[in-house]
Amino acid sequence: MTQVSASPPVSGNTLAQRYRCIREFSEQLSEPLSAEDCAIQSMPDVSPTRWHLAHTTWFFETFLLSQQPNYRPFDESFAYLFNSYYNTIGEQYPRARRGMITRPALAEVIEYRRHVDDQLMQLLASPVGENERVADIVEIGLQHEQQHQELILTDIKHVLAQNPLRPVYRDGTFARNAEAATLNWDAYSEGIYWTGHDTDGFCFDNEMPHHREFVESFQLADRLVTCGEYLHFMEDGGYSSPEHWLSLGWDTVCSERWESPLYWYYEDGRWFEFTLAGPVPVDPARPVTHVSYFEADAFARWASLQTPGVRLPTEAEWEVAAADAELTANFADRLWVSNRAMHPQVEMEGATGLVGNAWQWTSSPYTAYPGYQASAGALGEYNGKFMCNQFVLRGGSCATSSSHIRTTYRNFFPPSARWQFTGIRLCR
């Protein structure tokens, strides 16, 4: 499944300390919400916050605690309710109906988390906790929980956006700038490059093996596409000009009646966007987000009319460019503690923005690296079985924790997905 060693510490440097810190952050993310907020499922791709809190707990109970002698499950029905897609473990409650699960109540889910946390901490303090396999599974579980922390933020944003009151999830400040940083192009020479994970830190199995790829010379934009640039695309008939779109993308535009990025709306003569800090006017200097692969590709095709050769980068190009990137950008944990809005911030002059702010669509289909092998058993169901009809995204977003991202990290979504913090970086 993975290559594992200690990840950069979140708080403290022991596995038990990291476990406590990461588990607590999940509950901090749910604190601004009412019990009613935590129960809603606004579309099939969204899961209720309460389900995320329970499912991440189910992971530790199922893959670790249930393997220990004399452990008794907190509630045997949870094995069915909170399994996501692990077919070798057992049946799952249908994903699209998770919002129908009115019980257990949020308070009982929190009690479930306390029970599993207490048992897990006892396990880590015992001789069994020194077993390398146990440590590996705990690490996988923590990385899995951080993925669901991101989903808690993106899913509740979609939930709250359906409310005509446009409620605030959490107040926060926005860094503002008079105008976007000038777009520059960083050049990279053709050559054979090593890509994929090859260090001692944690990675998911889809980041391996380390392998060589030939890459033609290319140039990569040193910042993300801004809302202002995307507005020019819209004003130039971007959503009404089929020549910019892939066939399936144009079908989606027509059937879904897309006219702007998700969460944008036009009111009183100007564009606004709904954010986790509430509605705000669209800031031309901020990176555009909540666009699908179809929209990112269409924007690149439109931009190529002004700058010939412009396109989306391949994931190999992106990784070559990001080889020495510093992971110091806008991430969920840093935005949270600094009381800034959980939203992409303006990229200042000189900031490459290769990581953080918004996931960046690449033109690469999500497939296996040469020599890839999924791990045996249930944990091997984590990534490999999704290698169909998806595109790779790179770089993390404002909803990703800084201790969770790597430059080799391969996120993936269907080309029509828009509810994640997905943005655009151009290549040529």
Side-chain angles (χ1 to χ4, degrees), residues 176-181 226-228 282-287 345-347:
R176 293 193 175 275
N177 201 21
E179 57 184 33
T226 65
C227 292
V282 168
D283 185 341
R286 276 201 296 268
Q345 304 287 328
V346 171
E347 296 188 61

Side-chain angles (χ1 to χ4, degrees), residues 46 75 78 96-97 101 111 114 120 124 126-127 137-138 146 205 211 225 251 256 272 276 318 374 392 399 409 411 425:
V46 160
D75 187 317
F78 288 5
R97 299 183 62 195
I101 305 174
E111 184 182 351
R114 298 287 177 272
L120 214 294
L124 291 178
S126 73
I137 296 175
V138 172
Q146 288 183 304
D205 62 354
H211 63 285
V225 170
D251 288 347
E256 299 296 327
F272 291 82
L276 287 168
W318 189 96
V392 175
Y409 197 116
N411 202 354
R425 182 182 299 277

Side-chain angles (χ1 to χ4, degrees), residues 282-345:
V282 168
D283 185 341
R286 276 201 296 268
V288 66
T289 53
H290 299 295
V291 291
S292 66
Y293 173 81
F294 293 139
E295 289 162 296
D297 179 75
F299 178 88
R301 292 169 189 265
W302 171 81
S304 71
L305 300 177
Q306 290 80 43
T307 308
V310 164
R311 55 181 172 79
L312 298 181
T314 67
E315 65 168 321
E317 289 170 333
W318 189 96
E319 190 169 322
V320 166
D324 298 319
E326 294 184 7
L327 309 184
T328 57
N330 296 306
F331 293 111
D333 50 337
R334 294 171 180 169
L335 294 171
W336 186 271
V337 299
S338 62
N339 293 316
R340 287 182 290 163
M342 309 296 284
H343 194 78
Q345 304 287 328

Side-chain angles (χ1 to χ4, degrees), residues 70-369:
N70 305 318
Y71 177 76
R72 298 183 62 182
F74 180 84
D75 187 317
E76 292 185 354
S77 68
F78 288 5
Y80 170 64
L81 288 179
F82 301 123
N83 183 1
S84 54
Y85 49 72
Y86 294 89
N87 296 308
T88 55
I89 294 296
E91 295 185 358
Q92 311 98 39
Y93 186 81
R95 175 176 180 170
R97 299 183 62 195
R98 289 172 184 168
M100 305 295 288
I101 305 174
T102 60
R103 306 292 175 88
L106 178 61
E108 189 175 353
V109 168
I110 298 300
E111 184 182 351
Y112 177 39
R113 290 178 66 87
R114 298 287 177 272
H115 168 82
V116 167
D117 287 348
D118 289 345
Q119 295 290 316
L120 214 294
M121 293 301 287
Q122 291 179 35
L123 180 67
L124 291 178
S126 73
V128 176
E130 299 176 4
N131 181 283
E132 185 177 351
R133 177 61 177 166
V134 169
D136 286 356
I137 296 175
V138 172
E139 184 63 49
I140 295 169
L142 293 177
Q143 299 286 338
H144 168 259
E145 180 129 358
Q146 288 183 304
Q147 289 178 317
H148 281 270
Q149 289 168 355
E150 182 161 350
L151 289 169
I152 286 173
L153 290 169
T154 55
D155 288 3
I156 200 60
K157 182 174 183 177
H158 193 272
V159 166
L160 296 178
Q162 312 315 305
N163 190 324
L165 299 179
R166 295 176 179 145
V168 171
Y169 162 73
R170 182 176 184 263
D171 283 323
T173 59
F174 288 88
R176 293 193 175 275
N177 201 21
E179 57 184 33
T182 302
L183 189 148
N184 296 300
W185 298 91
D186 295 325
Y188 300 88
S189 301
E190 70 173 42
I192 297 175
Y193 292 89
W194 285 94
T195 62
H197 199 269
D198 73 332
T199 64
D200 292 333
F202 176 91
C203 77
F204 288 114
D205 62 354
N206 66 354
E207 299 171 54
M208 297 189 294
H210 196 49
H211 63 285
R212 292 171 297 175
E213 293 204 34
F214 176 76
V215 177
E216 298 279 3
S217 59
F218 69 97
Q219 295 179 331
L220 192 69
D222 68 346
R223 64 161 172 78
L224 299 169
V225 170
T226 65
C227 292
E229 289 164 338
Y230 201 84
L231 271 169
H232 291 322
F233 165 69
M234 292 165 54
E235 291 165 352
D236 197 34
Y239 282 92
S240 59
S241 303
E243 62 269 22
H244 301 318
W245 297 82
L246 295 168
S247 176
L248 186 57
W250 182 246
D251 288 347
T252 306
V253 167
C254 295
S255 62
E256 299 296 327
R257 298 182 178 179
W258 288 350
E259 297 179 342
S260 66
L262 185 63
Y263 303 126
W264 285 30
Y265 61 96
Y266 196 72
E267 189 173 270
D268 296 330
R270 59 177 175 165
W271 285 99
F272 291 82
E273 62 177 322
F274 179 79
T275 76
L276 287 168
V280 296
V282 168
D283 185 341
R286 276 201 296 268
V288 66
T289 53
H290 299 295
V291 291
S292 66
Y293 173 81
F294 293 139
E295 289 162 296
D297 179 75
F299 178 88
R301 292 169 189 265
W302 171 81
S304 71
L305 300 177
Q306 290 80 43
T307 308
V310 164
R311 55 181 172 79
L312 298 181
T314 67
E315 65 168 321
E317 289 170 333
W318 189 96
E319 190 169 322
V320 166
D324 298 319
E326 294 184 7
L327 309 184
T328 57
N330 296 306
F331 293 111
D333 50 337
R334 294 171 180 169
L335 294 171
W336 186 271
V337 299
S338 62
N339 293 316
R340 287 182 290 163
M342 309 296 284
H343 194 78
Q345 304 287 328
V346 171
E347 296 188 61
M348 300 302 182
E349 197 74 44
T352 61
L354 273 167
V355 294
N357 259 347
W359 287 104
Q360 297 149 55
W361 287 106
T362 74
S363 61
S364 298
Y366 177 53
T367 58
Y369 284 158

